[in-house]
Amino acid sequence: EVLLVDSGGDLVQPGGSLRLSCEGSGFDFSRYEMIWVRQAPGKGLEWVSYIDSSGRIIDYADSVKGRFTISRDHTERSVFLQMRGLTTDDTAIYYCARLGWYGSGRVPDYWGQGTLVTVSS
Amino acid sequence: EIVLTQSPATLSLSPGERATLSCRASQSVSSSLAWFQQKPGQAPRLLIYDASNRAPGIPARFSGSGSGTDFTLTISSLEPGDFAVYYCQQRSDWPSCTFGQGTKLEIK
């Protein structure tokens, strides 16, 4: 069974830092691209970051570029999101998702349960 | 950035009725569009990929259509478990992607 477990969310002050983790199991983690998606309270889904299977191709949403860093560790079967310079606008549930190959491209087919990041003084 | 606009924002229907949800892209995304269902407190669930293909395990009452800029998700006969929020997502400008703002399907 494919499973993704998100962790690391917490209450943090504005300007603070946090590191999120997402551990995968039940599939060959090293072969899959991964993304982070967030959802502010009562709002819709926002793509945050992407990392390819090798870890060499990376992309970020403009809203987090320069503050967030995505990485992965195949021995730990995990993808990480290092967040710095947090603002109240970063308050959200953060989900990691696996990109599966379907038809002509990749889509997020399995998602973690989400981890809540709250930025507040 | 490609913007996806979903309509209506809220759709009120009864079980057994047909639901039609719309997603419009600000520029062509070809068929690179997916639909997701999200229930309260849960992660999104993949329903449709490449505009019209059902993901594994998705019931046949869910169908998708469209290409270019206009897309539709149809639920042929609503069941109680179908009332949720639905999002479209495009991956035409990979590796980034964008989601629509969502349509809430509620019980009338």
Side-chain angles (χ1 to χ4, degrees):
Chain A
E1 177 195 9
V2 173
L3 194 62
L4 294 170
V5 178
D6 300 321
S7 62
D10 204 347
L11 171 63
V12 61
Q13 292 189 339
S17 299
L18 209 55
R19 187 192 194 217
L20 306 183
S21 300
C22 166
E23 182 176 359
S25 60
F27 64 103
D28 187 352
F29 180 81
S30 66
R31 296 183 61 187
Y32 285 85
E33 300 154 79
M34 302 290 292
I35 61 173
W36 285 96
V37 174
R38 68 184 179 183
Q39 187 169 36
K43 302 297 184 182
L45 303 170
E46 179 190 14
W47 170 77
V48 172
S49 186
Y50 160 91
I51 188 166
D52 78 334
S53 58
S54 71
R56 288 192 289 267
I57 299 175
I58 286 171
D59 199 14
Y60 302 96
D62 288 344
S63 58
V64 307
K65 202 168 288 185
R67 300 187 299 122
F68 289 11
T69 302
I70 192 171
S71 61
R72 65 190 299 161
D73 185 322
H74 291 168
T75 59
E76 294 187 25
R77 304 175 58 84
S78 293
V79 61
F80 307 100
L81 189 67
Q82 177 68 52
M83 305 185 294
R84 297 183 173 89
L86 288 163
T87 73
T88 55
D89 289 342
D90 297 315
T91 294
I93 296 173
Y94 285 73
Y95 298 97
C96 73
R98 184 187 87 163
L99 296 182
W101 276 93
Y102 289 78
S104 63
R106 322 147 180 89
V107 289
D109 60 348
Y110 285 91
W111 297 64
Q113 85 287 2
T115 187
L116 178 61
V117 173
T118 303
V119 184
S120 175
S121 55
Chain B
E1 175 185 305
I2 297 174
V3 177
L4 298 178
T5 302
Q6 293 186 239
S7 61
T10 303
L11 185 58
S12 300
L13 294 170
S14 300
E17 290 192 293
R18 181 185 188 91
T20 303
L21 288 68
S22 175
C23 176
R24 176 165 289 180
S26 59
Q27 63 190 75
S28 177
V29 299
S30 185
S31 295
S32 301
L33 190 106
W35 288 93
F36 295 84
Q37 176 194 68
Q38 187 180 33
K39 297 180 179 180
Q42 296 184 17
R45 172 194 181 197
L46 175 64
L47 299 175
I48 301 288
Y49 65 93
D50 285 354
S52 61
N53 296 286
R54 276 188 302 277
I58 301 304
R61 65 180 182 275
F62 290 92
S63 64
S65 63
S67 66
T69 60
D70 290 299
F71 300 87
T72 301
L73 174 69
T74 302
I75 309 172
S76 59
S77 179
L78 287 166
E79 295 192 1
D82 297 337
F83 293 92
V85 179
Y86 291 83
Y87 295 94
C88 56
Q89 177 239 3
Q90 68 79 24
R91 56 173 176 76
S92 181
D93 50 356
W94 203 256
S96 68
C97 68
T98 52
F99 293 87
Q101 83 280 15
T103 289
K104 181 180 181 181
L105 179 57
E106 65 177 22
I107 299 177
K108 188 174 182 180

